[in-house]
């Protein structure tokens, strides 16, 4: 773990407010107990990384945070997940409204087969965030600037989003998620389909996004977790093994399983 | 010998060749089959194929060519004045064939002896009486009778020659193959070459069918357009065929009926089929899917005659008594509306299963992306899934339209036979397919424009549906490639 | 967990949410959810309409057609007067066959009269015409045939079930009522009253009618005697031809296109061709059959051979498409394995790929056959619609004899005036649907039984 950026970043995470408070979270896929007794607090304006070997449940847990698992008929979630103190699995909560506040970016860039503008404007349109065309233009520009894509695409907003390069597509998807001004941004291995240069751009972007949102990122790359996150959670076989400041996890792991994983003996 | 029995004999010879070929191959190495180039079965197949394939090919080609050749010869026996004019020529030829068939039937039923039939003259009154009593149609004119006698004579002679040639070819093939059966002979390679050739031949049948369709439509249509001006056919607004002459054969009323009924059918089938497909692929639980999908597909397995009867007996009277008569729009049992609605029901599974495939081809990641932004499932479908699937769905609708245009039985029984151009959907109208059936069933006179017009209508129908199909298949294929 | 998070105070109030509470949906969300519910309802409604249409269709056909399988017979004693049926008195069937059917009609008429007299049935307005038209014309022919088959009966009094006319039959099936009879020249209220009296006496029975399946078609005026025998036989012959021709040709063409064909212009042409042929309207195949097989090659009209050939050409694209899908589903690893041990390409295909694809091919073939069985339009053009009363003989000669086909027979009956033929058309549809159901069940069974997952 001799990444030099680790040392530069000594953020006092304890001062941040708690965004998500999760207690006793259990997830079943049919008969399979995919997530067991997970307690975790996710802080505001912080990048939290979920790491662990594949199949450990980190993506499953991420998808619980904006109830994307609702779309899988056999998935069942138990326990409490409080967003600003409100249980997001409460019967009165509409997942549609929740997802407007907890946005998501996926593993593979998935721009809609529409123009770049329409891609970004999609969220604001369905949630009614802009009253007129001028406001919408403003929201789109802000989101694209936020995703560090504005300068590259400002002259071809009406071209289709699927024509962009992989890295640009993923940043477009981030812009699309940012455009609904969420409070939390969930990212499911956002760089796994990208080349190293595009990955670096996206990682840089994630670091910038931290100033406005709480970002939760699932990654299979420990180096990436170390580079971008302030807090890290290590999942193993559906259990949350260890959760703490990223520096601590990578330099002084408490649990032998964490140590085995980060030193490359398992996973 | 009739062709069928020639075929059986050739196949029997091939079976012999199989046994002989195998025995000869094994004998040539004194039972040590490992010394053979190929397994003994290949030597057997080699012998069988060389026996059967050339003889059967000859049989096929001969059967196709014989009518042409015989007609050519018979023409020579008819007076020149009859043969000068195309119309009377085909009439006379049909008469000759009918007489020849009548003579054959008479021999088969024992009314005439074979000798009598071969020498029957128009003045042979007792024989003619017996034929009339047995209800067998025979032409009375001496020329036609003579031509018919020739026709039979040539046909039976040709049959004998064919039998001889086919058997010689089979035996020759067998001898050739057996002679070549030596341990060094590469039987497997030869057999595989022949089988490959046969496979290619089979796949060419698809092209042969298309060529056959085009030729039969084009030739008879040319006949028709010689007798009837093409402008009047394509742009005429009146359809009043009368076999006495002076027919008006304008296609436009039929085209109008066809398109009107198809439009109503699509208005029924597309919303229902599309929404059903959307519900199946986006909302339904797997349990519901496994039950409902086959039930809807049952609609596709029901023959169109059943829909036709349903239109005639159930839907037609219902629409007439409850809608058409109370509103004063019509009083006919069959109507554009009846045929359109029933055809729409028939097309529901067609639209829904095609759309289902197409919607399922839209990648899940797009849905996740939209749902992850907080859109409802229906917003996802309307704003993301359907626009992405649009080309494919358009293709599916075009295919459904081509189905509707070419559908026959529902309109024959449900739409009526009145050719007219009217905007009122509760009136009976008629379609291209109805008139094809109408002009070609019963006794046909292939020299009159009233019969031949059916081929021109068929050609029109073929061109319209072919255009729609090619375009639709192109769109669907392009769409599939996009997500593969 | 080891983290300090658990010691932190609950964030409620500490960070007031910038938005409204998630627990109360806002107006816009409520509107959007209402739209969602509506959209879902459209989907359910569409499915409901489709299923209801199917149910309606099946109900209409079944309720109209079920009665075709039952028929009303009169059992009255008939004296087979030797002077009438055997004028020469030598019991020689050849001599007796010269007696016309009409004479037997007189015997039946006498039987009816004496029956009415013996039971002392008094009905106003019952005249001879009513008695005469009470029984089917077919009853005379049946009685004649019975006597010719068994000359011993001559001179005896026999009690045979005789077909009643379609009106009497319809009366017991609810198709004919006293009101409709008054307006109908073929029956009268008095005749129906007689039917009631005979029913009460037990001389009229309505029972299962196997003749409907086995009899040939009957003329316009004898709806009660019409059956499906010739049509079923004709359909069977055609299916035989389709199966024998289209399965080998279809499989051979698919094997070539899927396993051997190089990617070139010709292959492309063939593929485009097959895709288009599958969508060509069936009536066009009828025109092809008329022009090519009947006019050009001189094959007979109305013959199963022509119908079979036309349906073969029509079914081939379906079978080829299904077979290619089945061949494609065989994983390449199987081919690699066979080629790897030194099999030739041809051996690989015939020994390994084809057997594995067989269930899929058979399923596709059966579905194609089922489609061909229900096809009507092309058969109309090649003359299958003709009235055929003689059974075709056994194949191969029988393939050239005139025959009908099930769907064409249905069409034929819908064209006739007597409403009794509609009942029979619906009944014939039930028979057709039973065949189709059986074929589809067989296909499903094959698919289930041999389903393979790689």
């Amino acid at each position: 773990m001799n990444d030099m950026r680790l040392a530069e970043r000594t953020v006092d995470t304890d001062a941040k407010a708690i965004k998500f408070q999760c207690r006793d979270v259990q997830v079943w896929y049919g008969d399979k107990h995919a997530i067991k007794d997970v307690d975790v607090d996710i802080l505001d304006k912080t990048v939290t990384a979920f790491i662990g070997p594949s199949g450990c449940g980190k993506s499953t847990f991420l998808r619980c945070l904006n109830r994307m698992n609702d779309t899988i008929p056999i998935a069942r979630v138990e326990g409490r997940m409080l967003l600003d103190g409100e249980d997001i699995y409460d019967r009165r909560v509409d997942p549609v409204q929740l997802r407007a506040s907890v946005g998501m970016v996926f593993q593979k860039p998935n721009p809609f087969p529409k123009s770049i503008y329409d891609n970004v404007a999609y969220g604001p349109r369905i949630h009614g965030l802009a009253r007129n065309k001028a406001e919408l233009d403003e929201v789109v520009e802000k989101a694209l600037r936020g995703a560090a894509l504005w300068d590259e695409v400002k002259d071809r907003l009406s071209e289709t989003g699927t024509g962009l390069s992989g890295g640009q597509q993923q940043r477009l998807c981030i812009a699309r998620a940012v455009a609904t001004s969420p409070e939390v941004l969930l990212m499911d291995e956002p760089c796994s389909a990208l080349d190293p240069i595009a990955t670096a751009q996206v990682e840089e972007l994630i670091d910038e996004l931290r100033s406005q949102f709480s970002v939760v990122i699932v990654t299979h790359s420990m180096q990436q977790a170390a580079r971008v996150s302030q807090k890290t959670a290590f999942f193993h076989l559906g259990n949350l093994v260890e959760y703490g400041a990223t520096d601590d996890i990578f330099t002084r792991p408490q649990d032998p399983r964490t140590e085995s994983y980060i030193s490359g003996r398992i996973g | 010998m009739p062709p069928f029995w020639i075929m059986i004999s050739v196949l029997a010879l091939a079976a012999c060749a199989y046994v002989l070929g195998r025995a000869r191959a094994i004998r040539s190495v004194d039972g040590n089959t490992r010394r053979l180039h190929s397994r003994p079965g290949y030597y057997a197949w080699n012998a069988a194929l060389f026996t059967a394939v050339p003889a059967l090919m000859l049989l096929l080609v001969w059967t196709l060519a014989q009518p042409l050749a015989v007609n050519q010869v018979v023409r020579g026996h008819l007076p020149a004045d009859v043969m000068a004019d195309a119309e009377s020529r085909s009439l006379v030829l049909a008469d000759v064939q009918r007489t020849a068939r009548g003579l054959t039937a008479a021999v088969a039923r024992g009314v005439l002896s074979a000798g009598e039939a071969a020498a029957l003259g128009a003045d042979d009154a007792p024989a003619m009486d017996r034929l009339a009593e047995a209800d067998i149609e025979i032409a009375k004119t001496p020329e036609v009778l003579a031509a018919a006698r020739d026709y039979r004579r040539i046909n039976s002679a040709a049959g004998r020659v064919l039998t001889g040639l086919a058997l010689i070819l089979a035996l020759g093939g067998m001898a050739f193959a057996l002679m070549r059966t030596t341990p060094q002979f590469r039987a497997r390679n030869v057999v595989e070459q022949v089988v490959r050739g046969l496979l290619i031949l089979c796949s060419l049948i698809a092209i042969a069918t298309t060529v056959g369709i085009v030729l039969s439509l084009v030739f008879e249509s040319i006949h028709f357009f010689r007798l009837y001006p093409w402008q009047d056919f394509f742009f005429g607004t009146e359809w009043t065929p009368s076999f006495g002459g002076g027919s008006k054969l304008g296609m436009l009323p039929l085209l109008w009926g066809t398109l009107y009924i198809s439009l109503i059918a699509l208005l029924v089938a597309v919303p229902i089929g599309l929404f059903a497909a959307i519900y199946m692929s986006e909302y339904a639980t797997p349990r519901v899917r496994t039950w409902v999908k086959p039930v809807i597909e049952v609609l596709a397995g029901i023959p169109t005659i059943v829909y036709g009867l349903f239109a005639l007996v159930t839907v037609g009277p219902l629409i007439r008594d409850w809608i058409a008569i109370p509103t004063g729009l019509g009083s006919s049992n069959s109507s554009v509306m009846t045929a359109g609605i029933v055809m729409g029901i028939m097309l529901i599974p067609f639209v829904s299963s095609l759309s289902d495939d197409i919607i399922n081809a839209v990648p899940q990641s797009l849905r996740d992306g939209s749902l992850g932004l907080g859109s409802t499932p229906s917003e996802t479908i309307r704003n993301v899934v359907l626009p992405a699937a649009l080309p494919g769905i358009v293709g599916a609708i075009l295919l459904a339209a081509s189905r509707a245009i070419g559908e026959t039985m529902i309109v024959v029984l449900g739409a009526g036979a009145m050719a007219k151009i009217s905007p009122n959907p509760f009136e009976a109208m008629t379609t291209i397919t109805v008139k094809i059936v109408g002009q070609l069933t019963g006794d046909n006179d292939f020299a009159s424009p009233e019969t031949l017009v059916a081929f021109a209508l068929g050609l029109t129908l073929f061109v319209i549906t072919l255009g729609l199909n090619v375009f639709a298949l192109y769109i669907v294929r392009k769409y599939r490639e996009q997500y593969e | 967990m080891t983290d300090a998070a658990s010691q932190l105070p609950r964030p409620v109030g500490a960070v007031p949410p910038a938005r409204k509470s998630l627990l109360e949906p806002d107006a816009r969300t409520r509107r959007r959810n209402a739209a969602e519910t509506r959209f879902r309802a459209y989907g359910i409604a569409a499915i409901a309409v489709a299923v209801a249409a199917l149910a309606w269709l099946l109900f209409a056909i079944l309720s109209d057609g079920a009665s075709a399988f039952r028929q009303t017979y009169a059992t009255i004693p008939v004296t087979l007067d030797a002077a009438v049926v055997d004028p020469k008195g030598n019991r020689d069937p050849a001599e007796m066959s010269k007696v016309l059917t009409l004479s037997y009609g007189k015997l039946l008429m006498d039987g009816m009269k004496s029956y009415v007299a013996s039971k002392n049935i008094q009905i106003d307005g019952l005249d001879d015409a009513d008695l005469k038209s009470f029984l089917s014309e077919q009853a005379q022919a049946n009685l004649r045939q019975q006597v010719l088959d068994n000359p011993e009966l001559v001179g005896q009094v026999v009690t045979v079930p005789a077909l009643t006319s379609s009106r009497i039959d319809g009366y017991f099936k609810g198709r004919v009522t006293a009101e409709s009879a008054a307006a109908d020249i073929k029956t009268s209220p008095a005749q129906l009253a007689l039917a009631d009296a005979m029913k009460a006496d037990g001389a009229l029975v309505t029972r299962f009618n196997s003749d409907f399946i086995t009899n040939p078609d009957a003329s316009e005026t004898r709806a009660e005697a019409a059956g499906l025998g010739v049509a079923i036989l004709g359909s069977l012959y055609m299916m035989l031809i389709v199966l024998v021709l289209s399965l080998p040709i279809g499989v051979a063409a698919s094997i070539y296109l899927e396993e051997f064909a190089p990617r070139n212009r010709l292959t492309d042409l063939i593929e485009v061709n097959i895709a288009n042929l599958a969508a060509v309207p069936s009536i066009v195949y009828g025109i092809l059959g008329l022009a090519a097989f009947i006019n050009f090659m001189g094959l007979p009209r109305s013959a199963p051979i022509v119908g079979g050939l036309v349906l073969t050409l029509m079914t081939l694209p379906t079978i080829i498409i299904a077979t290619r899908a089945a061949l494609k589903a065989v994983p390449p690893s199987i081919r690699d394995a066979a080629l790897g041990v030194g099999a030739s390409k041809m051996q690989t295909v015939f020994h390994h790929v084809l057997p594995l694809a067989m269930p899929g091919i058979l399923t596709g073939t059966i579905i194609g056959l089922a489609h061909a069985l229900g096809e009507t339009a092309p058969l109309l053009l090649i003359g299958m619609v003709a009235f055929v009363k003689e059974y075709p003989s056994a194949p191969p000669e029988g393939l050239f004899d005139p025959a009908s086909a099930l769907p064409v027979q249905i069409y034929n009956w819908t064209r006739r005036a007597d409403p009794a033929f509609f009942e029979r058309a619906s009944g014939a549809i039930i028979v057709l649907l039973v065949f189709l159901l059986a074929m589809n069940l067989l296909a499903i069974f094959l698919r289930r039984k041999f389903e393979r997952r790689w």
Side-chain angles (χ1 to χ4, degrees), chain B residues 42 192 210 283 309 374 378-379, chain C residues 32 36 57 256 273 344 347 396 414:
Chain B
Y42 283 103
E192 289 188 352
T210 308
Y283 290 111
L309 191 67
S378 69
E379 285 163 348
Chain C
R32 288 169 62 200
E36 170 70 25
L57 174 78
Y256 178 70
N273 240 303
S344 71
Q347 287 169 324
T414 61

PDB file of all heavy atoms in Angstrom, chain B residues 42 192 210 283 309 374 378-379, chain C residues 32 36 57 256 273 344 347 396 414:
ATOM      1  N   TYR B  42     -19.590 -47.142 -46.337  1.00  0.00           N
ATOM      2  CA  TYR B  42     -19.446 -46.104 -47.357  1.00  0.00           C
ATOM      3  C   TYR B  42     -19.440 -46.701 -48.755  1.00  0.00           C
ATOM      4  O   TYR B  42     -19.951 -46.093 -49.688  1.00  0.00           O
ATOM      5  CB  TYR B  42     -18.186 -45.278 -47.118  1.00  0.00           C
ATOM      6  CG  TYR B  42     -18.382 -44.295 -46.001  1.00  0.00           C
ATOM      7  CD1 TYR B  42     -17.855 -44.527 -44.740  1.00  0.00           C
ATOM      8  CD2 TYR B  42     -19.139 -43.145 -46.200  1.00  0.00           C
ATOM      9  CE1 TYR B  42     -18.058 -43.642 -43.708  1.00  0.00           C
ATOM     10  CE2 TYR B  42     -19.354 -42.255 -45.180  1.00  0.00           C
ATOM     11  CZ  TYR B  42     -18.807 -42.499 -43.924  1.00  0.00           C
ATOM     12  OH  TYR B  42     -19.027 -41.624 -42.925  1.00  0.00           O
ATOM     13  N   GLU B 192     -19.417 -38.453 -49.492  1.00  0.00           N
ATOM     14  CA  GLU B 192     -19.616 -37.142 -48.863  1.00  0.00           C
ATOM     15  C   GLU B 192     -19.815 -36.056 -49.914  1.00  0.00           C
ATOM     16  O   GLU B 192     -20.616 -35.142 -49.715  1.00  0.00           O
ATOM     17  CB  GLU B 192     -18.444 -36.807 -47.935  1.00  0.00           C
ATOM     18  CG  GLU B 192     -18.489 -37.688 -46.692  1.00  0.00           C
ATOM     19  CD  GLU B 192     -17.487 -37.290 -45.641  1.00  0.00           C
ATOM     20  OE1 GLU B 192     -16.640 -36.418 -45.917  1.00  0.00           O
ATOM     21  OE2 GLU B 192     -17.562 -37.856 -44.535  1.00  0.00           O
ATOM     22  N   THR B 210     -39.441 -19.705 -55.064  1.00  0.00           N
ATOM     23  CA  THR B 210     -39.640 -18.284 -55.385  1.00  0.00           C
ATOM     24  C   THR B 210     -39.733 -18.090 -56.887  1.00  0.00           C
ATOM     25  O   THR B 210     -40.623 -17.381 -57.382  1.00  0.00           O
ATOM     26  CB  THR B 210     -38.482 -17.455 -54.826  1.00  0.00           C
ATOM     27  OG1 THR B 210     -38.333 -17.784 -53.448  1.00  0.00           O
ATOM     28  CG2 THR B 210     -38.759 -15.979 -54.957  1.00  0.00           C
ATOM     29  N   TYR B 283     -43.560  -6.591 -16.382  1.00  0.00           N
ATOM     30  CA  TYR B 283     -44.256  -6.646 -15.094  1.00  0.00           C
ATOM     31  C   TYR B 283     -44.538  -8.060 -14.596  1.00  0.00           C
ATOM     32  O   TYR B 283     -44.452  -8.329 -13.413  1.00  0.00           O
ATOM     33  CB  TYR B 283     -45.600  -5.906 -15.189  1.00  0.00           C
ATOM     34  CG  TYR B 283     -45.482  -4.412 -15.308  1.00  0.00           C
ATOM     35  CD1 TYR B 283     -45.813  -3.752 -16.477  1.00  0.00           C
ATOM     36  CD2 TYR B 283     -45.034  -3.663 -14.226  1.00  0.00           C
ATOM     37  CE1 TYR B 283     -45.707  -2.377 -16.574  1.00  0.00           C
ATOM     38  CE2 TYR B 283     -44.913  -2.288 -14.321  1.00  0.00           C
ATOM     39  CZ  TYR B 283     -45.264  -1.651 -15.498  1.00  0.00           C
ATOM     40  OH  TYR B 283     -45.153  -0.298 -15.594  1.00  0.00           O
ATOM     41  N   LEU B 309     -65.135 -18.529 -39.605  1.00  0.00           N
ATOM     42  CA  LEU B 309     -66.453 -18.965 -39.172  1.00  0.00           C
ATOM     43  C   LEU B 309     -66.930 -18.143 -37.977  1.00  0.00           C
ATOM     44  O   LEU B 309     -68.101 -17.779 -37.874  1.00  0.00           O
ATOM     45  CB  LEU B 309     -66.423 -20.455 -38.816  1.00  0.00           C
ATOM     46  CG  LEU B 309     -67.789 -21.088 -38.603  1.00  0.00           C
ATOM     47  CD1 LEU B 309     -68.552 -21.128 -39.898  1.00  0.00           C
ATOM     48  CD2 LEU B 309     -67.653 -22.494 -38.049  1.00  0.00           C
ATOM     49  N   GLY B 374     -34.474   6.982 -10.550  1.00  0.00           N
ATOM     50  CA  GLY B 374     -35.733   7.267  -9.879  1.00  0.00           C
ATOM     51  C   GLY B 374     -36.916   7.396 -10.803  1.00  0.00           C
ATOM     52  O   GLY B 374     -37.883   8.075 -10.474  1.00  0.00           O
ATOM     53  N   SER B 378     -43.070   2.439 -15.540  1.00  0.00           N
ATOM     54  CA  SER B 378     -43.766   2.845 -16.765  1.00  0.00           C
ATOM     55  C   SER B 378     -43.007   3.973 -17.461  1.00  0.00           C
ATOM     56  O   SER B 378     -42.950   4.021 -18.688  1.00  0.00           O
ATOM     57  CB  SER B 378     -45.201   3.259 -16.461  1.00  0.00           C
ATOM     58  OG  SER B 378     -45.223   4.460 -15.723  1.00  0.00           O
ATOM     59  N   GLU B 379     -42.395   4.879 -16.693  1.00  0.00           N
ATOM     60  CA  GLU B 379     -41.588   5.934 -17.312  1.00  0.00           C
ATOM     61  C   GLU B 379     -40.382   5.321 -18.020  1.00  0.00           C
ATOM     62  O   GLU B 379     -39.998   5.742 -19.110  1.00  0.00           O
ATOM     63  CB  GLU B 379     -41.128   6.940 -16.266  1.00  0.00           C
ATOM     64  CG  GLU B 379     -42.241   7.862 -15.813  1.00  0.00           C
ATOM     65  CD  GLU B 379     -41.923   8.573 -14.500  1.00  0.00           C
ATOM     66  OE1 GLU B 379     -40.945   8.197 -13.828  1.00  0.00           O
ATOM     67  OE2 GLU B 379     -42.666   9.491 -14.158  1.00  0.00           O
TER      68      GLU B 379
ATOM     69  N   ARG C  32     -47.281  10.610 -10.458  1.00  0.00           N
ATOM     70  CA  ARG C  32     -46.504   9.656 -11.266  1.00  0.00           C
ATOM     71  C   ARG C  32     -46.897   8.234 -10.929  1.00  0.00           C
ATOM     72  O   ARG C  32     -46.956   7.365 -11.791  1.00  0.00           O
ATOM     73  CB  ARG C  32     -45.013   9.868 -11.035  1.00  0.00           C
ATOM     74  CG  ARG C  32     -44.503  11.149 -11.667  1.00  0.00           C
ATOM     75  CD  ARG C  32     -43.104  11.460 -11.208  1.00  0.00           C
ATOM     76  NE  ARG C  32     -42.155  10.426 -11.587  1.00  0.00           N
ATOM     77  CZ  ARG C  32     -40.981  10.273 -10.987  1.00  0.00           C
ATOM     78  NH1 ARG C  32     -40.620  11.065  -9.999  1.00  0.00           N
ATOM     79  NH2 ARG C  32     -40.174   9.332 -11.380  1.00  0.00           N
ATOM     80  N   GLU C  36     -48.385   5.302 -13.260  1.00  0.00           N
ATOM     81  CA  GLU C  36     -47.798   3.956 -13.252  1.00  0.00           C
ATOM     82  C   GLU C  36     -48.901   2.899 -13.142  1.00  0.00           C
ATOM     83  O   GLU C  36     -48.933   1.929 -13.888  1.00  0.00           O
ATOM     84  CB  GLU C  36     -46.826   3.858 -12.073  1.00  0.00           C
ATOM     85  CG  GLU C  36     -46.305   2.473 -11.759  1.00  0.00           C
ATOM     86  CD  GLU C  36     -45.359   1.968 -12.813  1.00  0.00           C
ATOM     87  OE1 GLU C  36     -44.760   2.826 -13.503  1.00  0.00           O
ATOM     88  OE2 GLU C  36     -45.227   0.752 -12.956  1.00  0.00           O
ATOM     89  N   LEU C  57     -64.083 -17.068 -28.547  1.00  0.00           N
ATOM     90  CA  LEU C  57     -63.962 -17.841 -29.784  1.00  0.00           C
ATOM     91  C   LEU C  57     -64.214 -19.316 -29.520  1.00  0.00           C
ATOM     92  O   LEU C  57     -65.028 -19.961 -30.184  1.00  0.00           O
ATOM     93  CB  LEU C  57     -62.562 -17.625 -30.357  1.00  0.00           C
ATOM     94  CG  LEU C  57     -62.158 -18.431 -31.571  1.00  0.00           C
ATOM     95  CD1 LEU C  57     -62.781 -17.819 -32.801  1.00  0.00           C
ATOM     96  CD2 LEU C  57     -60.654 -18.446 -31.722  1.00  0.00           C
ATOM     97  N   TYR C 256     -27.164 -27.980 -44.727  1.00  0.00           N
ATOM     98  CA  TYR C 256     -26.233 -27.318 -45.637  1.00  0.00           C
ATOM     99  C   TYR C 256     -26.021 -25.872 -45.222  1.00  0.00           C
ATOM    100  O   TYR C 256     -24.892 -25.410 -45.075  1.00  0.00           O
ATOM    101  CB  TYR C 256     -26.751 -27.380 -47.080  1.00  0.00           C
ATOM    102  CG  TYR C 256     -25.824 -26.654 -48.021  1.00  0.00           C
ATOM    103  CD1 TYR C 256     -24.568 -27.172 -48.306  1.00  0.00           C
ATOM    104  CD2 TYR C 256     -26.173 -25.422 -48.557  1.00  0.00           C
ATOM    105  CE1 TYR C 256     -23.693 -26.485 -49.118  1.00  0.00           C
ATOM    106  CE2 TYR C 256     -25.302 -24.738 -49.374  1.00  0.00           C
ATOM    107  CZ  TYR C 256     -24.069 -25.271 -49.653  1.00  0.00           C
ATOM    108  OH  TYR C 256     -23.193 -24.584 -50.448  1.00  0.00           O
ATOM    109  N   ASN C 273     -34.320 -15.529 -49.222  1.00  0.00           N
ATOM    110  CA  ASN C 273     -35.434 -16.218 -49.841  1.00  0.00           C
ATOM    111  C   ASN C 273     -36.290 -16.962 -48.845  1.00  0.00           C
ATOM    112  O   ASN C 273     -37.513 -16.887 -48.874  1.00  0.00           O
ATOM    113  CB  ASN C 273     -34.855 -17.259 -50.800  1.00  0.00           C
ATOM    114  CG  ASN C 273     -35.298 -17.001 -52.182  1.00  0.00           C
ATOM    115  OD1 ASN C 273     -36.481 -16.951 -52.414  1.00  0.00           O
ATOM    116  ND2 ASN C 273     -34.371 -16.794 -53.064  1.00  0.00           N
ATOM    117  N   SER C 344     -14.830 -36.842 -40.058  1.00  0.00           N
ATOM    118  CA  SER C 344     -14.960 -35.837 -41.110  1.00  0.00           C
ATOM    119  C   SER C 344     -16.105 -34.912 -40.744  1.00  0.00           C
ATOM    120  O   SER C 344     -16.914 -35.205 -39.866  1.00  0.00           O
ATOM    121  CB  SER C 344     -15.241 -36.515 -42.447  1.00  0.00           C
ATOM    122  OG  SER C 344     -16.551 -37.029 -42.449  1.00  0.00           O
ATOM    123  N   GLN C 347     -19.335 -36.654 -41.045  1.00  0.00           N
ATOM    124  CA  GLN C 347     -19.596 -37.591 -39.956  1.00  0.00           C
ATOM    125  C   GLN C 347     -19.972 -36.858 -38.682  1.00  0.00           C
ATOM    126  O   GLN C 347     -20.870 -37.269 -37.947  1.00  0.00           O
ATOM    127  CB  GLN C 347     -18.349 -38.462 -39.710  1.00  0.00           C
ATOM    128  CG  GLN C 347     -18.145 -39.490 -40.803  1.00  0.00           C
ATOM    129  CD  GLN C 347     -16.781 -40.161 -40.691  1.00  0.00           C
ATOM    130  OE1 GLN C 347     -15.794 -39.523 -40.316  1.00  0.00           O
ATOM    131  NE2 GLN C 347     -16.724 -41.425 -41.027  1.00  0.00           N
ATOM    132  N   PRO C 396     -50.562 -45.674 -53.135  1.00  0.00           N
ATOM    133  CA  PRO C 396     -50.240 -44.391 -53.755  1.00  0.00           C
ATOM    134  C   PRO C 396     -51.313 -43.905 -54.742  1.00  0.00           C
ATOM    135  O   PRO C 396     -51.400 -42.704 -54.968  1.00  0.00           O
ATOM    136  CB  PRO C 396     -48.960 -44.692 -54.527  1.00  0.00           C
ATOM    137  CG  PRO C 396     -49.044 -46.148 -54.844  1.00  0.00           C
ATOM    138  CD  PRO C 396     -49.768 -46.778 -53.693  1.00  0.00           C
ATOM    139  N   THR C 414     -69.920 -23.828 -44.806  1.00  0.00           N
ATOM    140  CA  THR C 414     -70.394 -22.481 -44.472  1.00  0.00           C
ATOM    141  C   THR C 414     -71.048 -21.818 -45.678  1.00  0.00           C
ATOM    142  O   THR C 414     -71.751 -20.832 -45.534  1.00  0.00           O
ATOM    143  CB  THR C 414     -69.253 -21.570 -44.010  1.00  0.00           C
ATOM    144  OG1 THR C 414     -68.320 -21.451 -45.080  1.00  0.00           O
ATOM    145  CG2 THR C 414     -68.558 -22.119 -42.794  1.00  0.00           C
TER     146      THR C 414
END
